[in-house]
Amino acid sequence: MNLLLKYLSLCWFRNDPSELYPSKSFMWKAIGFYLASGIIVESLIADPADGTLEVLLRTIMAFSSISVLLLAMRKWQHFGQLFTAIFICENFIMTLAIGTEALYFYMVMQHYEYREEVSGILATLLVGWYIAIVSYILRQFFSYRTSISVITAFSYFVLTYGIPMLFMDI
């Protein structure tokens, strides 16, 4: 539990991910939660089969992107640390996204007039926060300048969400 709290503090821009050493069990649990929460969110938005496929594609893209970055930086030995830091924070954001979907459903049932706007604003805030968190993790891990870490985090977001989304539209 203590390790989880240390990883979650990354979502609040505290701690250094390079100083956190996850166990294999912890890493697999992070992946499992990532898959489960992603499938829940995508199934609420689209067909469950399509949502599951998209989450699997996102997972492959996330592993691939992190692997390529670490191989290019010659820091492959830190794969577990980096992917766990990103996945735990992404799991936190995904949990908030599930809450956002539940709020949207409630607003639909209550015939709330501005439900689309509220949902869109919350989604935009979550995506912005997600990019900021990944940027923070990369900046702490690689000592990047802020601009480079933001560009890399945005690129990671496009690779892990954009490409699977495009693939699903084909």
Side-chain angles (χ1 to χ4, degrees), residues 24-37 83-85 87-88 91:
K24 296 277 186 210
S25 170
F26 188 79
M27 291 188 299
W28 282 110
K29 288 175 185 172
I31 294 168
F33 190 86
Y34 177 84
L35 290 169
S37 61
F83 105 79
T84 303
F87 271 40
I88 291 294
N91 288 342

Side-chain angles (χ1 to χ4, degrees), residues 31-101:
I31 294 168
F33 190 86
Y34 177 84
L35 290 169
S37 61
I39 289 169
I40 289 170
V41 169
E42 291 301 326
S43 294
L44 290 171
I45 296 171
D47 178 70
D50 287 345
T52 301
L53 180 59
E54 187 171 337
V55 171
L56 292 174
L57 290 171
R58 279 199 328 240
T59 305
I60 292 167
M61 288 305 300
F63 280 128
S64 301
S65 300
I66 292 169
S67 297
V68 168
L69 176 64
L70 288 172
L71 286 172
M73 299 295 293
R74 297 186 180 146
K75 293 190 177 202
W76 176 252
Q77 68 275 17
H78 299 291
F79 179 81
Q81 289 173 285
L82 183 60
F83 105 79
T84 303
I86 291 173
F87 271 40
I88 291 294
C89 293
E90 188 159 358
N91 288 342
F92 176 72
I93 295 295
M94 198 59 70
T95 302
L96 295 176
I98 291 170
T100 300
E101 289 294 325

